[in-house]
Amino acid sequence: MKAVVWHDVGDIRLDTVPDPKIEQSTDAIVRITTAAICGTDLHFIRGTVPGMKPGLVLGHEGVGVVEEVGENVRNFRRGDRVLLSAVLGCGSCAYCRAGYFAQCDTTNPNGARSGTAFYGAPADNGSFNGLQAEYARVPFAHTNLFGLPASISDEQAIPLSDIYPTGYFGAVIAQVTDGDVVAVWGCGPVGQFAILSAFQRGAGRVLAIDGHADRLARAQALGAEIINFNEVDPVAAIMELTRGIGPDRAIDAVGVDAESPKSGPAATKARSADEVHRAELREIAPKTNERNGHWRPGDAPTQAHQWAIETLAKAGTLAIIGVYPPTDRFFPIGTAMNKNLTINMGNGNHPRYIPKLLSMVESGVVKPEQMLTQHEPMREVMTAYEEFDMRKPGWLKVALNPSVN
């Protein structure tokens, strides 16, 4: 089969690889009908999240059709149309039973203390072959697959594989409630769903901060008050908009590849911090491999949560759902402590939230397909990755059709 394979930092290829097979009685084999490219995939290619194994299939978002099930998969059968959860749980351990699927004791082959398991990810996360492929093996399929009614299209379903439940999880752990003022840092796909989810959970106002006008326009269409950090100082703007108090809640939907301001009043201060950020990046990403302007790491890896902590109201809550690797040791803990902030972070417990989000999509309350801005056949995947990597206008979220080669 054809699949997108990670070979090294800065080196991915569309390769022919063996078809997956049933390995455990709780496995299923799914023919992927729609996959997607995520910003997390770019972290692996840029080297800002180390630990990938050569030969691993990339991708953790997928919709497909069940081809085969193991003997202990009793809720699905061949021909069922399904959504694949990006985050993997066993459904039986104490953590899964409590809804903490991202901390399942069983799924990650590195052992019970190893943390989140997901597809197309570093060795610490299990090195499960990913979903940017024609077929995929799904472990613990009874928990990690969700049946799709005919009324929900692939385009509506694919955001529920990862970016919608991640954004929703961000609003949950930010403790957003009625009337809150919420700042969402980063207006990429996850940030867009964090904005939507904050409103769904009762936020009175959402402030959306980014440096890309097209992404801010989408945030504004969702009802957010937008702040372009390449035009204004985001800290000053937030203080002005909140009468000097700051937001009650903040969601960091950016992660390690954050960008610094390149123009406007915030740029001068950003330039004085450039060397600090370069030193941070050297420790966070010991190996990078920029090629022809592509796969360039963000130039301010700690910028998003620094701004978030600086602007939060005293006793506010910060949710971190942007991806940061274990090599990142640079967090402004003193500032957070002196403001009595609550900080919650982690990978989303997707199987906990997907049924609820599917119900909202099926009822027509949410139209997640509007976040998909590009639809590409698998044969164009390398070009799609390069365009998405450059954050070009119109490339907010890329859906892939693996069956079109």
Side-chain angles (χ1 to χ4, degrees):
M1 68 173 183
K2 291 291 186 181
V4 180
V5 177
W6 191 95
H7 287 266
D8 200 349
V9 174
D11 182 5
I12 60 169
R13 307 171 200 170
L14 182 61
D15 289 344
T16 299
V17 301
D19 289 357
K21 297 180 179 180
I22 296 287
E23 297 178 15
Q24 305 290 336
S25 65
T26 50
D27 287 351
I29 303 299
V30 173
R31 175 172 55 83
I32 303 297
T33 54
T34 299
I37 300 174
C38 181
T40 302
D41 301 321
L42 294 179
H43 297 323
F44 306 147
I45 305 167
R46 293 170 180 161
T48 45
V49 175
M52 292 287 284
K53 289 184 176 180
L56 189 75
V57 176
L58 283 174
H60 51 266
E61 299 164 285
V63 175
V65 177
V66 175
E67 291 287 306
E68 184 181 359
V69 296
E71 61 181 353
N72 281 328
V73 178
R74 301 170 185 269
N75 52 343
F76 294 100
R77 60 185 178 183
R78 179 181 171 87
D80 286 345
R81 191 164 157 268
V82 290
L83 170 72
L84 289 75
S85 169
V87 171
L88 301 171
C90 73
S92 298
C93 72
Y95 281 98
C96 286
R97 293 183 188 208
Y100 291 104
F101 293 90
Q103 294 303 318
C104 173
D105 271 344
T106 307
T107 309
N108 193 324
N110 294 305
R113 296 281 298 169
S114 54
T116 308
F118 65 104
Y119 300 103
D124 286 350
N125 303 99
S127 290
F128 292 93
N129 275 320
L131 309 183
Q132 291 169 12
E134 294 180 86
Y135 296 90
R137 179 179 77 90
V138 180
F140 299 104
H142 56 279
T143 295
N144 299 313
L145 292 180
F146 294 85
L148 290 174
S151 59
I152 295 182
S153 67
D154 276 25
E155 290 72 20
Q156 290 173 300
I158 191 67
L160 279 75
S161 189
D162 182 37
I163 55 174
Y164 192 178
T166 297
Y168 190 83
F169 176 70
V172 169
I173 64 173
Q175 302 173 340
V176 176
T177 190
D178 293 349
D180 280 346
V181 178
V182 181
V184 175
W185 296 88
C187 296
V190 170
Q192 300 288 337
F193 280 111
I195 293 165
L196 175 64
S197 300
F199 280 126
Q200 288 174 335
R201 293 184 62 82
R205 300 171 69 190
V206 176
L207 312 179
I209 307 95
D210 202 290
H212 295 270
D214 61 315
R215 297 184 175 195
L216 287 166
R218 285 182 167 270
Q220 190 176 55
L222 292 173
E225 301 167 57
I226 59 174
I227 298 169
N228 188 329
F229 63 68
N230 285 312
E231 296 178 354
V232 299
D233 182 327
V235 175
I238 288 171
M239 290 298 102
E240 182 179 4
L241 290 169
T242 61
R243 301 181 63 128
I245 298 169
D248 306 290
R249 320 291 172 202
I251 301 172
D252 173 359
V254 182
V256 67
D257 276 307
E259 298 176 296
S260 66
K262 303 301 186 295
S263 60
T268 301
K269 186 176 181 181
R271 297 292 72 77
S272 67
D274 280 348
E275 183 50 45
V276 172
H277 286 148
R278 281 192 288 268
E280 292 171 346
L281 185 60
R282 285 193 293 269
E283 185 167 338
I284 290 168
K287 179 179 181 180
T288 60
N289 190 9
E290 188 179 333
R291 294 185 178 185
N292 302 319
H294 293 291
W295 324 130
R296 178 182 300 164
D299 62 357
T302 58
Q303 183 68 86
H305 56 246
Q306 287 175 344
W307 275 338
I309 287 172
E310 184 176 355
T311 54
L312 262 169
K314 294 183 292 184
T317 305
L318 170 63
I320 302 175
I321 53 174
V323 174
Y324 293 91
T327 49
D328 186 346
R329 311 178 214 284
F330 308 98
F331 187 83
I333 191 167
T335 305
M337 181 178 183
N338 285 333
K339 295 179 73 172
N340 277 48
L341 300 184
T342 296
I343 301 168
N344 295 314
M345 66 188 83
N347 298 307
N349 300 303
H350 293 6
R352 180 175 183 169
Y353 302 116
I354 285 173
K356 177 178 183 175
L357 304 182
L358 271 173
S359 294
M360 288 195 288
V361 174
E362 189 172 17
S363 68
V365 172
V366 181
K367 300 184 185 301
E369 69 276 15
Q370 293 177 350
M371 299 297 178
L372 301 180
T373 55
Q374 299 290 333
H375 298 75
E376 301 292 331
M378 185 66 90
R379 65 175 176 269
E380 300 296 336
V381 66
M382 299 308 300
T383 299
Y385 255 107
E386 290 175 353
E387 296 294 308
F388 184 59
D389 171 59
M390 299 297 288
R391 301 179 178 91
K392 290 191 175 180
W395 289 83
L396 179 70
K397 187 65 178 178
V398 183
L400 299 172
N401 184 346
S403 66
V404 180
N405 291 314

